[in-house]
Amino acid sequence: GFTGDAGSGGSCVPCAAGTYKDVNGSAACTACPSNAVSAEGSTSLSACTCPAGFTGDAGSGGSCVPCAAGTYKDVNGSAACTACPSNAVSAEGSTSLSACTC
Protein backbone atom coordinates (compact mmCIF):
# COMPACT_ATOMS: atom_id res chain seq x y z
CA GLY A 1 0.00 0.00 0.00
CA PHE A 2 3.05 2.29 0.07
CA THR A 3 5.72 3.25 -2.42
CA GLY A 4 8.88 5.35 -2.34
CA ASP A 5 12.64 5.04 -1.97
CA ALA A 6 13.19 4.80 1.79
CA GLY A 7 16.55 3.06 1.22
CA SER A 8 17.97 6.30 -0.19
CA GLY A 9 16.58 8.54 2.52
CA GLY A 10 13.24 9.11 0.79
CA SER A 11 9.89 8.59 2.37
CA CYS A 12 7.19 5.99 1.89
CA VAL A 13 3.93 7.43 0.60
CA PRO A 14 0.56 5.69 0.35
CA CYS A 15 -0.59 4.49 -3.04
CA ALA A 16 -3.08 6.96 -4.50
CA ALA A 17 -6.78 6.19 -4.60
CA GLY A 18 -7.50 3.98 -7.62
CA THR A 19 -4.21 2.07 -7.22
CA TYR A 20 -2.80 -0.67 -4.99
CA LYS A 21 0.52 -2.33 -4.15
CA ASP A 22 0.76 -5.87 -2.83
CA VAL A 23 4.54 -6.20 -2.41
CA ASN A 24 7.22 -4.46 -0.33
CA GLY A 25 9.86 -2.35 -2.04
CA SER A 26 10.15 0.77 -4.14
CA ALA A 27 8.05 -0.49 -7.07
CA ALA A 28 5.28 1.75 -8.33
CA CYS A 29 1.67 1.22 -7.33
CA THR A 30 -0.52 -0.66 -9.82
CA ALA A 31 -3.67 0.90 -11.28
CA CYS A 32 -7.00 -0.78 -10.58
CA PRO A 33 -8.80 -2.24 -13.62
CA SER A 34 -10.65 0.10 -15.97
CA ASN A 35 -13.19 2.40 -14.21
CA ALA A 36 -12.53 0.80 -10.79
CA VAL A 37 -11.82 2.67 -7.55
CA SER A 38 -9.90 1.89 -4.36
CA ALA A 39 -9.02 3.72 -1.16
CA GLU A 40 -5.67 5.44 -0.69
CA GLY A 41 -3.06 2.98 0.59
CA SER A 42 -4.77 -0.15 -0.79
CA THR A 43 -2.73 -3.33 -0.51
CA SER A 44 -4.39 -5.75 -2.95
CA LEU A 45 -6.30 -6.07 -6.20
CA SER A 46 -9.31 -7.18 -4.17
CA ALA A 47 -9.51 -3.61 -2.77
CA CYS A 48 -10.49 -2.39 -6.26
CA THR A 49 -14.25 -2.13 -6.69
CA CYS A 50 -16.68 -0.82 -9.26
CA PRO A 51 -18.20 2.51 -8.24
CA ALA A 52 -21.89 3.36 -8.29
CA GLY A 53 -23.17 3.37 -11.88
CA PHE A 54 -20.76 0.59 -12.91
CA THR A 55 -20.75 -3.19 -12.54
CA GLY A 56 -18.12 -5.91 -12.88
CA ASP A 57 -15.61 -7.88 -10.84
CA ALA A 58 -12.68 -5.47 -10.49
CA GLY A 59 -11.42 -7.25 -7.37
CA SER A 60 -10.54 -10.25 -9.55
CA GLY A 61 -9.02 -8.19 -12.36
CA GLY A 62 -12.15 -7.59 -14.44
CA SER A 63 -13.06 -4.14 -15.67
CA CYS A 64 -16.04 -2.10 -14.59
CA VAL A 65 -18.65 -1.34 -17.24
CA PRO A 66 -21.35 1.32 -17.03
CA CYS A 67 -24.85 0.21 -16.10
CA ALA A 68 -26.93 -0.04 -19.26
CA ALA A 69 -29.56 2.57 -20.07
CA GLY A 70 -32.73 1.75 -18.13
CA THR A 71 -30.78 0.51 -15.09
CA TYR A 72 -28.89 2.04 -12.15
CA LYS A 73 -26.55 1.04 -9.30
CA ASP A 74 -26.29 3.16 -6.16
CA VAL A 75 -23.51 1.32 -4.28
CA ASN A 76 -19.85 0.40 -4.86
CA GLY A 77 -19.07 -3.26 -5.51
CA SER A 78 -19.71 -6.07 -7.96
CA ALA A 79 -23.49 -6.14 -7.62
CA ALA A 80 -25.60 -6.15 -10.76
CA CYS A 81 -27.33 -3.00 -11.92
CA THR A 82 -31.01 -2.71 -10.97
CA ALA A 83 -33.71 -2.20 -13.59
CA CYS A 84 -35.72 1.01 -13.45
CA PRO A 85 -39.45 0.58 -12.70
CA SER A 86 -41.69 -0.50 -15.55
CA ASN A 87 -41.77 1.97 -18.48
CA ALA A 88 -39.10 4.20 -16.90
CA VAL A 89 -35.76 5.05 -18.54
CA SER A 90 -32.35 6.21 -17.34
CA ALA A 91 -29.05 7.19 -18.94
CA GLU A 92 -26.15 4.75 -19.18
CA GLY A 93 -24.13 4.73 -15.94
CA SER A 94 -26.96 5.96 -13.72
CA THR A 95 -26.24 5.98 -9.99
CA SER A 96 -29.67 6.25 -8.34
CA LEU A 97 -33.32 5.35 -8.64
CA SER A 98 -34.05 9.06 -9.04
CA ALA A 99 -32.25 8.90 -12.43
CA CYS A 100 -35.15 6.76 -13.71
CA THR A 101 -37.79 8.91 -15.37
CA CYS A 102 -41.02 8.31 -17.28
Side-chain angles (χ1 to χ4, degrees):
F2 289 80
T3 189
D5 195 6
S8 296
S11 60
C12 298
V13 295
C15 291
T19 68
Y20 68 95
K21 185 171 166 226
D22 55 6
V23 295
N24 291 333
S26 59
C29 301
T30 302
C32 287
S34 180
N35 297 315
V37 296
S38 69
E40 180 180 75
S42 292
T43 58
S44 69
L45 174 61
S46 62
C48 300
T49 62
C50 295
F54 289 80
T55 189
D57 193 7
S60 294
S63 60
C64 300
V65 295
C67 291
T71 67
Y72 69 95
K73 184 173 151 241
D74 56 5
V75 295
N76 288 357
S78 59
C81 301
T82 303
C84 288
S86 183
N87 299 315
V89 296
S90 68
E92 178 181 77
S94 291
T95 58
S96 67
L97 175 59
S98 63
C100 300
T101 59
C102 295

